[in-house]
Amino acid sequence: MKKIVFIALFLFAFSSVASARIIYNFGYGFGLLNSGNGFSKLDKKYYDYYKASVDFEHFYTKNFSVIAEPFVAYVNRPTEGVSFGVSGLLRYYFLNETTFRTFADGGLGVSYNTLQYPDQASKYLFMPQVGLGIEFNVGKSTKMFIEDRFIHMSCASIKEPNGAVNSNTIMIGISF
């Protein structure tokens, strides 16, 4: 069942790629709000990662867009590993000014991890996420992005145990 959901989300995410604006993102993520383990910690060890993604953003109105976001993340601590997958996001732009505009987004992603955490029964994870960001005009058609996104990773109780990994990701992006 989880493989079917993974494939369906992957195909849905790429349904609007042909007419999309492309945004290249790089970011740093760290553990956040992981129950009883302190700031930036998971199982009493520090948890952090580096993330790269390419956003394919398709606008439906001036302020509303759908984003397909394939990504890869290198987990640095507590152990080294790789996570990759795709997210589908809805983004709404508000506070439209001449040189910048702000946005909020949210959606669902799926990932496969080479790491196996003791509190998670599966390496396939679901990733509900929400974020806030700002887009700056830095040239005629060049835009810079800064976003802060909260991501929750778990196997959605498909298997037990279903321990969650929560993280905060700070991303910087550019679109030409």
Side-chain angles (χ1 to χ4, degrees):
M1 175 65 177
K2 64 185 170 192
K3 289 181 182 178
I4 293 170
V5 172
F6 186 85
I7 292 168
L9 280 172
F10 188 81
L11 292 174
F12 167 75
F14 285 101
S15 64
S16 64
V17 168
S19 61
R21 170 169 76 162
I22 299 173
I23 305 166
Y24 302 95
N25 292 303
F26 299 96
Y28 173 74
F30 54 90
L32 184 68
L33 303 175
N34 289 303
S35 165
N37 293 316
F39 182 77
S40 189
K41 293 185 178 182
L42 175 70
D43 296 331
K44 300 191 185 335
K45 297 177 184 171
Y46 284 96
Y47 172 72
D48 64 347
Y49 57 91
Y50 301 95
K51 178 181 177 182
S53 65
V54 179
D55 290 1
F56 298 94
E57 184 175 26
H58 180 75
F59 284 89
Y60 285 94
T61 69
K62 179 183 175 187
N63 295 336
F64 179 73
S65 65
V66 174
I67 298 172
E69 183 181 79
F71 67 88
V72 62
Y74 167 72
V75 179
N76 186 44
R77 294 182 282 189
T79 59
E80 293 184 28
V82 177
S83 175
F84 59 90
V86 65
S87 295
L89 301 165
L90 301 175
R91 179 171 286 172
Y92 182 75
Y93 288 90
F94 57 96
L95 191 60
N96 292 309
E97 299 294 329
T98 306
T99 57
F100 73 93
R101 61 186 183 163
T102 57
F103 60 86
D105 57 23
L108 178 65
V110 291
S111 72
Y112 176 80
N113 297 311
T114 62
L115 303 167
Q116 181 69 53
Y117 294 111
D119 291 342
Q120 293 178 330
S122 177
K123 291 183 176 186
Y124 293 96
L125 300 175
F126 292 93
M127 302 168 38
Q129 50 200 294
V130 294
L132 290 172
I134 188 165
E135 169 188 302
F136 296 97
N137 298 328
V138 293
K140 186 171 181 166
S141 62
T142 304
K143 301 188 184 311
M144 295 285 298
F145 298 81
I146 299 172
E147 182 177 7
D148 186 21
R149 193 181 296 170
F150 178 79
I151 303 172
H152 170 89
M153 296 173 276
S154 72
C155 60
S157 295
I158 292 172
K159 288 185 176 183
E160 294 295 332
N162 183 36
V165 175
N166 296 313
S167 66
N168 187 68
T169 305
I170 300 167
M171 296 183 295
I172 297 174
I174 189 165
S175 172
F176 302 101

